[in-house]
Amino acid sequence: MIGWLTVGALLFPQQVEAVSFEQVRFAGGFWGPRLETNRRVTIPYDLAKCAETGRLANFAVAGGLLEGAHQGQRYDDSDVYKVIEGAAYALATAPDPALDAQLDELIAWITAAQEDDGYLYTPRTIDPAHLPDGAGEGRWSYLVESHELYCLGHLFEAAVAHHAATGKDSLLQVAVKAADLLLATFGAGKREGWPGHQEVEIGLVKLARTTGRAEYAQLAQYFLEARGTKSAEPPGLSDGHRQYVQAHAPVLQQTEAVGHAVRAGYMYAGMADVAAATGDARFLSASARLWEDVVERKLYLTGGIGARAAGEAFGDPFEMPNATAYAETCAAVANALWNHRLYLASGKAQYLHVLERTLMNGFLSGVSLAGDRFFYPNPLARRDGPVDPDGDGGRAPWFSTSCCPVNVVRMLPSVPGMQWAVQGEAAVACLLQSGVARLKVAGRAVTLRMETG
């Protein structure tokens, strides 16, 4: 029987305890071969692509270890952090000394790229006079599009995963230094603002759990509460742009999923995280309300979200075209993360149904069985012509904006962390997959083996 926790005037089921990825080992079955392909093929492939396109070198150049100019887009730092996160998950399940050493070298470059006060954003550090479009003239000056905070959110997630998998704190130290700069910079009575692309909220809560520093979760709450308020809004924002970045109304007052689907999914997941970390049930209630809108009106059969290519956005209620469906791979990742968090916060199985559907369909279609070709959008029907903006009609080897391939790399090996949960005196099987889990239930160490076809 589910226990109940009274929060304010609302009742929510007691939070469910997650079972971390390093406590679960998959063996064969549906997911086992896909995780093995990710480890053997996709992780080294994505690392090689990040090297080939200058994403890795940007850190060495920013740190004075190499000479050169910044290469790529203003948000490319995040791609490297995502690959590190995925590689860390893989190291936890399959020790790999060569990959471990490669991450150590890359983390040394990231450490060198960080400025003395904790600021970390390679395009500005390398050449502040010649910045990529959208970066803003100065630090934090164009948060609505600069992706400075978005990149740091992925840094925080990578640092937590690397620390959990290896026990090392090299990247965690970088993350804490950057987070402390955010604490000193943003908040009531300080600089007002919020990230145009949500993600830092998720990263801050993860960092709070790992370090025990509640102020990081409180900063995530600030970023959510500042969104949609006039005092923190950048000048010149149009109504359309407000909707695109979910700033058309205060977060707690939003009732319909609108705008860029990836940004929205990350924000809704962050709302559930903040509710769990702070005990503020308003954020869980608002997130669950938005979930109802998505599931009842805007969710593809595959678990994909985001019907429109224009703005990579949600459409109107029941606007669900097949041939022109966008259903971005990253949006499926965000949807899966959101549903897992809502389950952990509520214990309600409805969220697990959507999680499983999204993982096995809307997300998994984004990577080939070989592990080195990717979909950015995932339409449900196709005639002649390319599916992807940089593709040849099928899955593409890479993209100029490659958020999807690197999101695949981190999502696949994190799935073991979604299979089991602990609820009071019960272990809950959230996903069916052969393997072994070692966890604690009611204070007792338990080993559980699942066998399934």
Side-chain angles (χ1 to χ4, degrees), residues 161-194:
H162 184 256
H163 176 68
T166 68
K168 301 174 184 177
D169 65 356
S170 51
L171 192 58
L172 191 63
Q173 289 181 11
V174 174
V176 166
K177 190 174 181 180
D180 286 346
L181 175 64
L182 297 187
L183 285 176
T185 304
F186 293 100
K190 303 175 188 175
R191 190 183 193 107
E192 296 282 346
W194 39 262

Side-chain angles (χ1 to χ4, degrees), residues 123-214:
R124 194 178 314 283
T125 301
I126 290 172
D127 189 354
H130 301 89
L131 291 161
D133 289 344
E137 293 183 2
R139 286 187 183 187
W140 326 118
S141 64
Y142 194 42
L143 287 177
V144 72
E145 287 299 334
S146 70
H147 287 68
E148 287 161 286
L149 294 175
Y150 169 81
C151 289
L152 289 181
H154 281 300
L155 166 67
F156 299 158
E157 290 206 77
V160 168
H162 184 256
H163 176 68
T166 68
K168 301 174 184 177
D169 65 356
S170 51
L171 192 58
L172 191 63
Q173 289 181 11
V174 174
V176 166
K177 190 174 181 180
D180 286 346
L181 175 64
L182 297 187
L183 285 176
T185 304
F186 293 100
K190 303 175 188 175
R191 190 183 193 107
E192 296 282 346
W194 39 262
H197 197 313
Q198 301 90 321
E199 157 61 24
V200 73
E201 302 87 351
I202 292 173
L204 281 166
V205 174
K206 281 192 175 182
L207 199 60
R209 290 175 179 148
T210 296
T211 62
R213 294 182 59 181

Side-chain angles (χ1 to χ4, degrees), residues 269-349:
M271 291 163 68
D273 276 345
V274 165
T278 67
D280 192 332
R282 296 176 303 160
F283 289 96
L284 181 60
S285 179
S287 186
R289 182 174 64 241
L290 288 158
W291 181 88
E292 290 178 3
D293 176 63
V294 170
V295 170
E296 293 175 5
R297 300 174 183 87
K298 299 182 177 182
L299 182 73
Y300 276 99
L301 191 65
T302 59
I305 56 174
R308 294 180 180 175
E312 301 178 329
F314 289 104
D316 293 329
F318 310 108
E319 179 186 340
M320 309 297 293
N322 285 333
T324 59
Y326 203 72
E328 185 182 337
T329 300
C330 283
V333 169
N335 195 27
L337 296 175
W338 177 28
N339 277 274
H340 186 235
R341 282 159 168 77
L342 284 176
Y343 166 69
L344 293 175
S346 71
K348 295 181 179 179

Side-chain angles (χ1 to χ4, degrees), residues 55 79 82 150 328 330 376 399 401-408:
R55 284 166 167 82
D79 293 344
K82 283 188 251 185
Y150 169 81
E328 185 182 337
C330 283
Y376 197 120
F399 308 98
T401 295
S402 265
C403 50
C404 293
V406 292
N407 239 346
V408 165

Side-chain angles (χ1 to χ4, degrees), residues 240 242-246 248 256-264 268 306 311-315:
R242 288 189 190 95
Q243 283 221 336
Y244 174 73
V245 296
Q246 296 80 41
H248 55 291
E256 181 182 358
V258 298
H260 191 274
V262 183
R263 299 175 194 233
Y268 305 155
E312 301 178 329
F314 289 104

